[in-house]
């Protein structure tokens, strides 16, 4: 993506709040998130477990659990506000055909009783009206596109005859069969070993370009993001606390939570020394959050952090962060020394 000249957003989230009701209590999972997704870009969303990465993106497809709801805000896509969708019928116009999702566990997403070819053909019939020889031919093409050798033979096999990495490729082929405009990959590789992860990430990267997709790539592993993403959004406690181009977030991180996340990258570890870990735990989202949610874990926290939620401060036209440290009145605080080494890895 040309970040100097951004095109119109393909998807626009405005002041989104999502809540869940559980045993009489309300959990505020997404807290006033705004986000623009630009056509053709790959946006990575990173953040600790429970920060809201999945809930946010599932909201784009109406896939959150039934005890959750959009409490406030808009999700604008193609002239519609998805946050207003109520029925499955409405969601079926979007799900799969406009926005598709590749999930973490390929075994649960595939039907063990049907051949992989039948499952891809089903998607082709449903979304593109392809049948018979045409559908079979397209299935073979898709299997080839996702890097499966001998597609003619493999399409007749069942999911259990595929390895984890190969099953993930099949899932991606099914997602592509629907010709979506946006592909969301939610930790597509955590269940796989490192070399296979690298191959899948590479594959998604290639397909995004081949099929002119817009992609959201969700991961814990900041290390993989640098290779695939144009921009990175950092989530903490249901909020986006920093967003910028990959270079900006890696080389000039501004939020103390981003500093902490980057400092704990295994690649920065020195042999014999303990790897940095973020102290404390994320806040309980059942309680209202006052000020900066990260303050109790932030060694550089200011008084203001405990009182008022910081606004976004612009660092560049493409880079902004929600931290009082960027307020002109704040004392100067430098990122941890260890982050200087990021340019070397
Ligand atoms: N159905 C639900 N009922 C109650 N709380 C929920 C429900 N679904 C999600 N949550 C809560 O919403 C918050 C955000 O969850 P989410 O799954 O989006 O986190 P995540 O960033 O994707 O984490 P991970 O990296 O572990 O996948 C968490 O506190 C989670 O417990
Ligand atoms: Mg998740």
């Amino acid at each position: 993506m040309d970040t100097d000249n951004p095109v119109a957003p393909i998807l626009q989230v405005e002041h989104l709040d999502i809540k869940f009701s559980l045993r009489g209590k309300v959990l505020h999972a997404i807290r006033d998130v705004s986000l623009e997704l630009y056509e053709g870009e790959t946006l990575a969303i990173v953040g600790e477990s429970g920060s809201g990465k999945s809930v946010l993106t599932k909201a784009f497809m109406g896939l959150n659990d039934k005890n959750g709801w959009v409490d406030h805000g808009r999700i604008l896509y193609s002239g519609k506000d998805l946050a207003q969708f109520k029925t499955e019928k409405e969601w079926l116009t979007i799900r799969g055909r406009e926005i598709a999702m590749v999930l973490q566990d390929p075994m649960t997403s595939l039907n063990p009783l049907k051949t992989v070819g039948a499952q891809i053909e089903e998607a082709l019939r449903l979304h593109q009206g392809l049948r018979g020889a045409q559908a079979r031919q397209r299935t073979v093409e898709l299997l080839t596109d996702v890097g499966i050798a001998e597609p003619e033979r493999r399409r007749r096999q069942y999911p259990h005859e595929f390895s984890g990495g190969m099953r993930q490729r099949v899932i991606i082929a099914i997602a592509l069969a629907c010709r979506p405009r946006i592909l969301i990959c939610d930790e597509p590789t955590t269940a796989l070993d490192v070399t296979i992860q690298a191959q899948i990430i590479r594959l998604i990267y290639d397909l995004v370009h081949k099929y002119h997709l817009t992609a959201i790539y969700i991961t814990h592993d900041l290390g993989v993001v640098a290779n695939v993403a144009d921009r990175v959004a950092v989530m903490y406690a249901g909020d986006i606390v920093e967003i910028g181009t990959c270079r900006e977030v890696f080389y000039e991180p501004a939020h103390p939570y981003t500093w902490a996340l980057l400092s704990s990258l295994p690649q920065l570890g020195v042999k014999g020394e303990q790897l940095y870990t973020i102290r404390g735990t994320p806040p309980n989202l059942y309680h209202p959050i006052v000020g900066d949610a990260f303050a109790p874990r932030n060694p550089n926290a200011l008084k203001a952090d405990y009182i008022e939620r910081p606004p976004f401060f612009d660092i560049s036209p493409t880079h902004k962060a929600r931290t009082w440290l960027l307020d002109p009145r704040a004392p100067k605080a430098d990122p941890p020394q260890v982050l200087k080494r990021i340019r070397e890895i």
Side-chain angles (χ1 to χ4, degrees), residues 121-297:
E121 283 177 37
E122 209 170 280
L124 288 169
R125 187 172 62 241
L126 212 66
H127 292 281
Q128 288 183 53
L130 293 186
R131 284 166 198 280
Q134 251 188 332
R136 269 198 303 283
Q137 189 196 341
R138 183 72 190 124
T139 298
V140 168
E141 278 168 22
L142 281 165
L143 286 172
T144 310
D145 274 351
V146 298
I148 292 181
E150 297 183 73
E152 193 49 64
R153 180 174 69 84
R154 295 294 257 168
R155 75 177 176 85
R156 293 195 211 107
Q157 292 183 322
Y158 291 86
H160 74 263
E161 297 174 80
F162 286 67
S163 66
M166 286 295 156
R167 281 200 288 265
Q168 191 61 278
R169 288 172 192 265
V170 173
I171 299 288
I172 295 168
I174 292 175
L176 293 176
C178 312
R179 289 190 176 262
R181 292 175 70 203
I182 301 177
L183 182 69
I184 301 172
C185 304
D186 192 348
E187 308 246 24
T189 60
T190 19
L192 307 170
D193 77 50
V194 180
T195 34
I196 311 280
Q197 275 190 38
Q199 290 168 12
I200 297 285
I201 288 161
R202 181 76 221 173
L203 172 70
I204 292 172
Y205 180 87
D206 291 342
L207 293 172
V208 160
H209 292 89
K210 174 163 184 185
Y211 284 85
H212 306 292
L213 295 165
T214 303
I216 298 180
Y217 198 95
I218 297 174
T219 177
H220 279 105
D221 191 345
L222 265 167
V224 307
V225 161
N227 300 319
V228 290
D230 300 302
R231 289 195 304 151
V232 182
V234 179
M235 283 195 81
Y236 187 75
D239 194 5
I240 291 177
V241 296
E242 179 159 5
I243 187 164
T245 65
C246 228
R247 292 187 73 80
E248 288 168 333
V249 173
F250 274 89
Y251 295 159
E252 293 148 44
H255 196 285
Y257 177 61
T258 315
W259 294 353
L261 261 189
L262 290 170
S263 301
S264 49
L265 271 177
Q267 292 91 324
L268 288 180
V270 174
K271 232 187 180 158
E273 279 177 30
Q274 204 157 19
L275 197 63
Y276 176 87
T277 47
I278 308 175
R279 59 178 193 157
T281 48
N284 183 338
L285 297 174
Y286 282 107
H287 300 304
I289 288 172
V290 180
D292 183 335
F294 189 60
R297 302 172 78 184

Side-chain angles (χ1 to χ4, degrees), residues 302 311 313 323-331:
L302 309 170
F313 288 92
T323 167
W324 286 116
L325 284 178
L326 293 172
D327 188 288
R329 293 163 296 179

Side-chain angles (χ1 to χ4, degrees), residues 49-50 52-55 104 186-187 218 220:
S49 188
K53 306 180 297 291
S54 298
V55 169
Q104 190 167 334
D186 192 348
E187 308 246 24
I218 297 174
H220 279 105

